[in-house]
Amino acid sequence: MEQKLKEIVASFIKIPADQVGSATPIDRSAVQSSILLHRMYARLAEEGLVVENYAAVKVFGDLFRSPAAHVYIEAASDNGGYSGGTKAAGIGVDIEEIAALPRATDFRKEEFYKMNFTPGEMAYCILQPDPVASFAGLFAAKEAMIKADGANRSKAFNTLEIDHSPEGKPLHPDYALSISHAGGMALAVAVSAGLSMTASMPQTIPSLQGGPADKKTSSGAWISWLALFLSAMALLIALFR
């Protein structure tokens, strides 16, 4: 089985399988893309090796010796991993290449999509004009959520469900989310609702009509404006990269 795992990993880090050893890096920096990293672990799961905490795996040998990675060999679990940790507020931004996602005739049967999206998310994306772009947007949003809150880093992506309002706005408890698409890229910004604005933001916002500042404006408005600003900056980066 180890040889098969080497062949899978080698195909993602672009080196011959016989050069993969216990000290070979297989983390995000080695794979070069968050989506490709998740695709690699989906392939490993198809072979029966399930890794619940990707962040704990740095080198190939960690797949067999790192207890923090929660690695086990069996059929893929439906329990979506595990949760825990203390909430840490913050801001996360992520950009993903839409073409990096695997194509599938039935997204509900493809291991990558089962490991990273809930049935509800799949149903939503399948009904969109460009399902793959919609999946990429949700994936980017989940990456942004992890960057905003490190406690999510050990959670399986199919437990971080993103819902949508009737108007199509992405929703997840305790987060303000924004998703955009441009130039073959999916862009997302996540702002934790627990982010304290009192230390870095003024307590009032000037009226858009030019009137006096509304002292009752909550920090939630700042979160929305900040998410919008970061989303616009990410969009510009994607267009002019």
Side-chain angles (χ1 to χ4, degrees):
M1 182 180 184
E2 182 175 348
Q3 180 58 34
K4 181 62 176 179
L5 300 182
K6 286 184 177 181
E7 292 173 0
I8 293 173
V9 168
S11 68
F12 284 93
I13 62 176
K14 308 300 183 184
I15 67 172
D18 59 7
Q19 293 183 16
V20 176
S22 61
T24 301
I26 62 170
D27 58 3
R28 167 67 174 76
S29 62
V31 178
Q32 309 258 325
S33 162
S34 295
I35 288 177
L36 289 179
L37 183 70
H38 283 250
R39 289 182 65 177
M40 181 180 75
Y41 282 110
R43 281 288 295 112
L44 292 174
E46 289 174 354
E47 295 299 320
L49 188 144
V50 179
V51 180
E52 291 186 344
N53 184 6
Y54 306 166
V57 178
K58 304 301 181 183
V59 297
F60 183 75
D62 288 342
L63 292 176
F64 306 97
R65 64 170 179 258
S66 175
H70 293 267
V71 179
Y72 54 97
I73 300 175
E74 62 180 39
S77 171
D78 292 328
N79 65 8
Y82 64 96
S83 61
T86 302
K87 181 173 177 57
I91 302 169
V93 180
D94 191 68
I95 303 176
E96 299 292 346
E97 185 177 6
I98 296 172
L101 269 74
R103 269 40 182 181
T105 55
D106 188 344
F107 295 104
R108 296 165 298 182
K109 295 181 179 179
E110 175 70 31
E111 195 67 34
F112 172 83
Y113 292 96
K114 290 193 296 181
M115 291 178 65
N116 292 290
F117 303 98
T118 67
E121 290 173 332
M122 291 187 196
Y124 173 84
C125 291
I126 289 171
L127 293 176
Q128 301 310 302
D130 188 343
V132 177
S134 295
F135 277 118
L138 292 185
F139 187 95
K142 295 183 183 192
E143 281 285 342
M145 288 165 56
I146 286 175
K147 294 174 182 177
D149 186 349
N152 285 324
R153 191 168 298 279
S154 61
K155 295 181 180 179
F157 266 31
N158 60 10
T159 67
L160 299 175
E161 183 167 26
I162 296 175
D163 201 355
H164 291 82
S165 70
E167 298 77 24
K169 177 179 175 59
L171 304 171
H172 186 84
D174 300 325
Y175 286 90
L177 299 174
S178 179
I179 300 174
S180 298
H181 302 83
M185 309 296 289
L187 323 170
V189 177
V191 182
S192 171
L195 180 64
S196 174
M197 295 296 182
T198 57
S200 57
M201 295 287 188
Q203 298 303 302
T204 61
I205 301 176
S207 169
L208 295 178
Q209 286 74 35
D214 180 5
K215 295 184 179 181
K216 294 183 180 180
T217 302
S218 70
S219 62
W222 282 106
I223 293 176
S224 298
W225 280 107
L226 184 59
L228 180 62
F229 171 75
L230 291 174
S231 183
M233 292 299 295
L235 180 61
L236 290 174
I237 291 172
L239 290 175
F240 294 100
R241 58 185 295 164

